[in-house]
Structures are given as structure tokens and as C-alpha cells.
Amino acid sequence: GENVEQHPSTLSVQEGDSAVIKCTYSDSASNYFPWYKQELGKGPQLIIDIRSNVGEKKDQRIAVTLNKTAKHFSLHITETQPEDSAVYFCAASKGGFKTIFGAGTRLFVKA
Amino acid sequence: NAGVTQTPKFRILKIGQSMTLQCAQDMNHNYMYWYRQDPGMGLKLIYYSVGAGITDKGEVPNGYNVSRSTTEDFPLRLELAAPSQTSVYFCASTKSGAREKLFFGSGTQLSVL
């Protein structure tokens, strides 16, 4: 069935370093790939998304890349700050009602 | 706009009890969703609705029921609560489907003991 695998499950970096989270999706018809950040005790919030007609998208310190051939997409956070510490979810959708989520990555940024 | 509002934030139920999780959105969104979040498992879709009067099952609907009498409200009903329903529940909404930003509520942490 449809699946999104996300790695790593936990990531610890020093403040100022970069963090990379990788996801792989199974359904080649997927064409929308959002990333959500979830802080403790809160609901997930969209931080960036990419559609299948684009290979890369950047928003300040956050970037997402998409390789449709390999069915991979990745989140890159540069110059990490303590407030980047959270759980990050990747997801994939081909429309309709269904969004398939990865299992999440817990990011720790050490000051 | 308040966005998506969920109540309660926390609840403890005994096995066999029932309860309703409330969800309301003020963005005039057509699509509303209920997800559950278990540790290390991501979010799983319980039920969804594409408009008032229309609801359908998601991946994990057993033990739950929903209704959508208005565009704004989408309550989730748990009948005969079981320990397997211990989870964090999120309501979410979008204007017109899954190829756009999901707006999430702040969640309900439910324990069934």
C-alpha cells in the first residue's frame, strides 16, 4: 500500500550546524509533499511544501528537494537554532482526501 | 480567525465509557479530518468529511463515529472506549482537499484506563 518512510527517527545537532531529514514515498502518483513541524503540546504546522513540477524550494533557512525518479524528498535546515528543536513530519499526497505521513523525526539542537 | 479549535485538551476515560471530541473551524473550509497520533507512528486518518452531511472512513475508523451537520463542526464520537484508543487526537481542515496546507487543532490527549 501507500507508504512514506522517514529517516532518521532522532537527530541531534549543534547549534549552527545543518540538519537533513530524508523521506521516501511509494506511490509514484504523489504530487504534493508538505513538511510539518510539531512543537511539544501543539498540533503540526506547515513549514514548507513542494509540488512535483519543482525540484527545489527554499524559504530562508529551510529548503526542500525532490527527486521524482528516485521517489525521495528531503528537508534541509541550515544554521540551526534551539527553537528548531521539534518533531518534523514529511508527507505525500496525490489529491482527494488522503495525506500519508512519515513516522516523524525528533530534532534536538544543542546550544 | 481562531483557526481549528479542539476540546477538551486532556481526558481520562474508563474502559467502556463514551465521549465526544469537539472540533470547530472558522475558515469556511470544506474538508475536515480526524487523525490519531501514536508514538513513532506518524498520523493516521480516522474519518474525513468533504462537506456538511458527507463523511467517510479513513485508515483506522473502527471504534469511532463522526457527523458533520454544519460546515464549521466535526465532532468525533468514541463509543465503548478501549485501551487501544489511548492516543493524541488531532482535528484538521483544508479548503478543497489534500493537495494543500492542513490546518491542525492543538490536539486532545486521551487515556483509556
Side-chain angles (χ1 to χ4, degrees):
Chain A
E2 298 154 312
N3 188 43
V4 173
E5 292 190 2
Q6 182 172 347
H7 299 280
S9 56
T10 306
L11 180 58
S12 185
V13 299
Q14 284 293 136
E15 182 178 1
D17 287 351
S18 295
V20 180
I21 302 170
K22 298 182 179 182
C23 290
T24 303
Y25 60 98
S26 61
D27 189 343
S28 56
S30 298
N31 53 21
Y32 176 63
F33 305 93
W35 286 88
Y36 289 88
K37 176 183 180 182
Q38 186 178 24
E39 296 176 339
L40 198 61
K42 297 184 179 180
Q45 283 201 306
L46 182 78
I47 54 171
I48 195 166
D49 57 9
I50 191 168
R51 298 187 187 272
S52 59
N53 57 346
V54 174
E56 184 173 358
K57 185 176 178 181
K58 193 173 181 181
D59 182 4
Q60 299 184 327
R61 295 185 297 109
I62 296 172
V64 58
T65 58
L66 172 64
N67 182 330
K68 285 191 295 181
T69 303
K71 292 190 278 188
H72 290 170
F73 58 115
S74 301
L75 178 72
H76 304 252
I77 306 174
T78 58
E79 300 171 27
T80 52
Q81 300 166 4
E83 52 265 38
D84 294 329
S85 296
V87 178
Y88 291 82
F89 291 97
C90 63
S93 175
K94 58 183 178 184
F97 65 90
K98 191 179 287 189
T99 299
I100 307 298
F101 287 88
T105 295
R106 187 172 294 275
L107 174 64
F108 296 96
V109 180
K110 296 177 285 186
Chain B
N1 286 354
V4 178
T5 304
Q6 279 185 249
T7 56
K9 291 189 82 65
F10 303 95
R11 184 73 184 267
I12 298 174
L13 286 181
K14 293 182 179 177
I15 294 172
Q17 286 186 320
S18 300
M19 77 165 293
T20 299
L21 281 66
Q22 301 292 342
C23 176
Q25 54 90 10
D26 62 358
M27 298 173 284
N28 200 32
H29 283 177
N30 295 310
Y31 283 66
M32 295 187 75
Y33 315 82
W34 274 105
Y35 289 93
R36 59 176 287 170
Q37 182 179 36
D38 299 309
M41 299 291 289
L43 293 114
K44 300 294 183 186
L45 183 65
I46 305 171
Y47 269 94
Y48 70 98
S49 168
V50 302
I54 307 169
T55 63
D56 208 344
K57 297 177 181 179
E59 298 172 81
V60 290
N62 291 346
Y64 307 95
N65 267 302
V66 293
S67 60
R68 183 101 182 265
S69 56
T70 66
T71 299
E72 293 77 21
D73 299 300
F74 190 42
L76 178 72
R77 178 83 178 160
L78 279 72
E79 305 281 3
L80 299 174
S84 61
Q85 293 178 306
T86 294
S87 189
V88 181
Y89 292 84
F90 289 101
C91 180
S93 71
T94 60
K95 180 64 178 174
S96 53
R99 290 185 68 242
E100 58 189 66
K101 174 183 175 181
L102 278 157
F103 289 80
F104 284 91
S106 57
T108 297
Q109 189 167 325
L110 175 68
S111 296
V112 182
L113 306 174

